[in-house]
Amino acid sequence: MSSSYVRIFDTSLRDGEQAPGASMTSAEKLEVARSLARLGVDVIEAGFPAASPDDLAAVQSIAAEVGRVPVEGRLQSDPPIICGLARCTRSDIDAAWQGVRGAKHPRIHTFLATSDLHLKHKLRMSREEMTAKAVEMVAYARTLCKDVEFSPEDAGRSDPEFLHQVLAAVIKAGATTLNIPDTVGYTMPDEFGALIAGIIRHTPGAKDVIISVHCHDDLGLAVANSLAGLRAGARQAEVTVNGIGERAGNASLEEVVMAIRTRGAKIGLQTGVDTTQLCRISKLVSRSTGYPVPPNKAVVGANAFAHESGIHQDGMIKNALTYEIMRPQDVGATHTTLVLGKHSGRAAFSKRLTELGYPLEGDALLKAFNEFKKLADRKKSVLDADLIALASDERATVPELWALEHLQVMCGTAGLPTASVRLRDPDGKIRSHAAIGTGPVDATYKAINAIVDLPVELLEFGINAVTEGVDALAEATVRVRHEEQRSAHGHGADTDIVVAAAKAYIASLNHVLSRQSTGRAQHPQSVPTEVSR
Ligand code: KIV
Ligand code: ZN
């Protein structure tokens, strides 16, 4: 591997999933993992197997289905490394190994904090005890797996000399990657770059292992810090799609990758990522987590390539280089106009979905195709973004316990907004109710609540046009919380915004109900941790 190659380690399914309310079902995680493999990432951190049996099962299925055979569309011939996180305890390391052992290239990632703050207040350990524990657990992990990553948590606020000692000791114990986290997003780029350079210079054995960077975004510096670390010699970047993660999130995959690609000549680094898939995976992760992508988000935001001012538009017409440092097609941001029309057949529809990375089969394909036909009747041009929205609805990985059969609303400037709703219950019986509300969505949600009878608090409600124009497909995203449980999200797409809102709300209720039946209602943070994740 070239010395300028940066390994992309995606932790959307582990650190990303720790974002409040971003929990994904096992099936959603598998779908994201498949897309990450297609994208060309080198390592997928698939989860924290000790957190719950469900987390373990999700990691196992990713190891077996994504980590064993090359995923279609992946440029690299080998499947990615599948990694599982573990605290420095035997039981966590055993669980991580159970999770990843089915992969062709498994990795155990274990961590223990090195900052005096964490040692004193959280771990209540001396520096010597910490070092001994890290060495013992890295050595133990090496008895199971030949690829072991160690992270000194809160490295950004640790005493560099102590850090060098710990890192030298874990290299001797068998660690193959040393990941340096700025756990609380505290450092400045020059400090973080110097930290990495110091580790490479002063840690015996550091040149024989891969040094990795893992930066949080509390001060908005995660990407800048990651790049500073890479320019100082690190050769792995731990990132998440859309920058999701604890608190302000992690360094964003698409920003790190595009900075390396766009400024490659200056910084002399490269990755193996197929950047044309960035927008697509951004949408998938946004949908799976219920975290919308802000329109001004770098690289993948809806406005990332929009030029509003006359002066900019004039420049763009004369030469796109005047105001564009990346081409929209390089990140997959182009809208292919009218790929399919109302006369297109099912085979063409199915083929296009597969090309877009959203393959459907059987009933799901049939249902999506019927929706496509209805849409093609109503909408002038059906774009890729429309197809993805339709396919995502059919690929919904939460069982459709309750389903929308019929919705009628009356609203306007006169009279009270009224909604009559008919739902199919989990036993297939039809249940109806009518309600009034402050607006058509409020009335619809009140009617649904009266039927489903699942008390939830509505935390977020958002509606977006999938494409431009008044005939656009609307996509609604809803986040709800039931009692003290982790919040759950749902989304729905339709040309009618009230129908999209109803579908999204019902999907979020199905999410809550399906979690109750699989016993994953608890927040993973309620897993006892002597070390925070
Ligand atoms: O931010 C952090 O310190 C982590 C470690 C587990 C790598 O996520
Ligand atoms: Zn982290």
Side-chain angles (χ1 to χ4, degrees), residues 82 120 136 159 253 386 486 510 514:
I82 306 296
K120 181 167 174 214
E136 183 193 342
D159 168 14
L253 181 150
D386 296 314
R486 238 190 144 180
N510 284 336
S514 68

Side-chain angles (χ1 to χ4, degrees), residues 85-374:
L85 185 70
R87 289 163 296 185
C88 267
T89 65
R90 275 180 186 251
S91 57
D92 267 35
I93 291 171
D94 287 339
W97 178 236
Q98 286 317 312
V100 299
R101 64 184 299 178
K104 181 167 176 200
H105 303 295
R107 176 180 294 182
I108 297 175
H109 175 192
T110 188
F111 70 102
L112 195 56
T114 42
S115 68
D116 288 333
L117 204 75
H118 280 231
L119 287 172
K120 181 167 174 214
H121 298 287
K122 191 183 70 175
L123 298 175
R124 300 201 170 95
M125 273 182 173
S126 67
R127 287 183 170 191
E128 292 70 30
E129 285 166 335
M130 180 275 150
T131 311
K133 180 63 118 189
V135 165
E136 183 193 342
M137 289 303 129
V138 167
Y140 177 60
R142 271 306 297 259
T143 63
L144 304 170
C145 183
K146 65 179 193 322
D147 185 351
V148 173
E149 173 168 326
F150 176 76
S151 293
E153 195 192 10
D154 205 18
R157 291 188 299 171
S158 299
D159 168 14
E161 264 181 42
F162 176 54
L163 203 52
H164 303 158
Q165 285 164 23
V166 173
L167 295 176
V170 296
I171 293 174
K172 266 196 175 161
T176 46
T177 298
L178 300 180
N179 176 47
I180 311 304
D182 181 16
T183 303
V184 289
Y186 179 71
T187 61
M188 295 280 149
D190 59 340
E191 285 171 335
F192 196 70
L195 180 69
I196 299 296
I199 288 170
I200 295 172
R201 196 169 321 121
H202 299 299
T203 305
K207 295 201 172 72
D208 305 323
V209 298
I210 301 295
I211 305 295
S212 164
V213 292
H214 177 116
C215 299
H216 280 269
D217 208 28
D218 299 67
L219 292 173
L221 293 170
V223 172
N225 285 344
S226 302
L227 292 170
L230 294 171
R231 296 185 75 188
R235 285 295 175 267
Q236 175 177 283
E238 300 202 353
V239 290
T240 59
V241 176
N242 298 335
I244 57 167
E246 276 288 357
R247 306 180 311 279
N250 290 58
S252 117
L253 181 150
E254 57 280 5
E255 291 174 27
V256 169
V257 165
M258 285 313 289
I260 291 175
R261 179 178 162 150
T262 309
R263 302 305 310 276
K266 179 175 170 64
I267 60 181
L269 299 173
Q270 44 162 323
T271 74
V273 167
D274 172 4
T275 61
T276 63
Q277 301 187 29
L278 288 172
C279 281
R280 189 192 305 161
I281 196 154
S282 158
K283 288 197 178 76
L284 173 65
V285 169
S286 167
R287 241 180 236 122
S288 309
T289 55
Y291 264 60
V293 178
N296 60 335
K297 166 83 178 63
V299 181
V300 292
N303 294 346
F305 295 94
H307 302 274
E308 189 70 21
S309 90
I311 296 172
H312 287 211
Q313 286 175 353
D314 180 53
M316 284 295 294
I317 291 164
K318 289 175 177 148
N319 184 337
L321 289 176
T322 52
Y323 287 103
E324 246 169 37
I325 57 164
M326 300 169 263
R327 294 179 314 162
Q329 57 270 38
D330 291 341
V331 300
T334 40
H335 296 289
T336 315
T337 34
L338 195 64
V339 263
L340 296 172
K342 63 180 181 181
H343 302 298
S344 306
R346 192 154 19 124
F349 175 74
S350 166
K351 182 164 171 282
R352 186 65 194 151
L353 285 183
T354 307
E355 283 163 4
L356 289 170
Y358 289 78
L360 287 179
E361 282 171 3
D363 278 356
L365 175 62
L366 204 62
K367 264 180 87 186
F369 184 64
N370 289 339
E371 290 301 316
F372 157 71
K373 284 284 182 186
K374 283 190 219 157

